[in-house]
Amino acid sequence: MPIVQYIVVRGDLGWPLGALMAQACHASVAAITKFNGHENTKAYLDQLETMHKVVLKANEEQLMHLTKNFSDNNIDHYLWKEMPENIMSSLATRPYEKKIILPFVKHLKLFDQPEKV
């Protein structure tokens, strides 16, 4: 079964798309770094040409709920906070089989564009 990294980005911040992309990148790199010893992370990094990521959009409340739900269910993830403002902007899981993460995120939509604020 393929391994996937899920990234969830706040779409309600009113930030430019490039800034939100940077937040997604920060969360992704942080999760890969934090969980680099896990066998799924190693396998994921061994497949540089075929890595698979899913980028989803959430608002602040959904992101807070998701990180609590992940923590309560021992799902390895990294919640990125933009500093010095301390704004929760995105989170990323370590690489997992899709079937493990999907039940937690199936209510979220793919990230297409930030919401206009």
Side-chain angles (χ1 to χ4, degrees):
M1 169 138 312
I3 304 168
V4 179
Q5 184 180 36
Y6 280 84
I7 303 167
V8 183
V9 182
R10 296 254 317 262
D12 63 337
L13 290 171
W15 294 0
L17 185 56
L20 294 174
M21 290 173 60
Q23 299 306 300
C25 292
H26 290 324
S28 175
V29 169
I32 293 291
T33 301
K34 183 173 181 180
F35 302 105
N36 69 354
H38 193 280
E39 66 183 55
N40 279 2
T41 304
K42 291 176 184 177
Y44 186 76
L45 293 173
D46 283 343
Q47 303 169 13
L48 287 178
E49 302 299 322
T50 58
M51 285 181 177
H52 187 74
K53 289 179 175 38
V54 175
V55 182
L56 303 170
K57 180 166 50 172
N59 61 34
E60 181 178 21
E61 181 180 333
Q62 290 169 318
L63 193 65
M64 289 173 55
H65 177 73
L66 186 59
T67 194
K68 181 181 181 333
N69 208 3
F70 279 169
S71 294
D72 290 348
N73 288 280
N74 298 312
I75 301 294
D76 294 335
H77 67 286
Y78 193 97
L79 176 65
W80 183 262
K81 294 180 181 180
E82 182 63 15
M83 293 297 184
E85 299 87 354
N86 198 32
I87 297 171
M88 293 183 309
S89 62
S90 57
L91 73 77
T93 66
R94 71 161 168 79
Y96 275 92
E97 290 182 18
K98 186 176 185 177
K99 67 181 180 182
I100 294 173
I101 302 299
L102 194 57
F104 296 98
V105 299
K106 64 184 177 185
H107 64 288
L108 298 173
K109 296 186 188 301
L110 289 173
F111 193 99
D112 53 1
Q113 292 196 24
E115 297 166 15
K116 303 265 191 238
V117 177

